Amino acid sequence: MTNQYTPANVWTMDNENGGQWASINRPDSGARHQQALPHGEQPLQLHSLATPNGQKVTIMLEELLAKGVTAAEYDAYLINIGEGDQFGSGFVDINPNSKIPALIDTSTDTPIRVFESGNILLYLAEKFGHFLPKDVAAKTEIMNWLFWLQGSAPYLGGGFGHFYAYAPEKFEYPINRFTMETKRQLDVLDKQLANNEYIGGDEYSIADIAIWPWYGSLVLGNLYNAAEFLDVTSYKHLLRWAKQVEQREAVQRGRIVNRSWGEEWEQLEERHCAADIDAVLNKKT
């Protein structure tokens, strides 16, 4: 191997490390500038971006609204992570980790902040009583897969996705390392779905809502332009599930919220009511 890296005794930040996110990555936390967050009239205030983690929450909210849960109405405001909005003082107040998505529930006597996408799904499921079984065994199975996703997705996104799609140079070792782990994860899901209609069993749940934006999008060819490289068609049960979930109206609605790229009918930077989504989807010919 050429150009082998020898770590220093004490690491210091290299401002020239390159990559798509080099301008915002730093080794410290906290607010970098003063920036108040906007606030709408709906009970739930979401500040996010339509990455897979952001899509989890908007899909969940749209699923709740599809069930007639009017208390799940929400305002969704765009957090442009490329511009560093996540380091504004207002956002840091609701998520000190400076990662999207973050939610404020204003329907309570004292507003409640909720951050980390898996926790937001759990909070909404328990608050509104949908997409999480009450039976202990069934609920535990769903939570098994929710925690699986929270632990596994960083290998897909920060590992495979970064080195395959975003790193300034491609290196064989990290790509092979994270490709192997990603394919192992795809195999785990494929085997689970060989005997189950949905991730946690017979019922659609927050496990599906959490996993689909990452692994469903991946096998449908919507992440990292890596479908051929990963041979996703070999995971037939996972692909069946991904297509099935994709057809849900709430998924199609939720996936476009806080999105500022793609086709015209896929972009909705802010959402304040159902009509906002309708207007964008109606642009599709």
Side-chain angles (χ1 to χ4, degrees), residues 110-124:
T110 300
I112 297 173
R113 71 176 187 180
V114 195
F115 60 89
E116 290 298 323
S117 57
N119 188 41
I120 297 175
L121 293 183
L122 179 59
Y123 178 83
L124 294 172

Side-chain angles (χ1 to χ4, degrees), residues 229-244:
F229 182 73
L230 294 171
D231 188 24
V232 298
T233 57
S234 64
Y235 305 101
K236 61 180 182 178
H237 305 295
L238 177 56
L239 194 56
R240 181 272 304 164
W241 166 84
K243 292 177 179 178
Q244 181 178 350

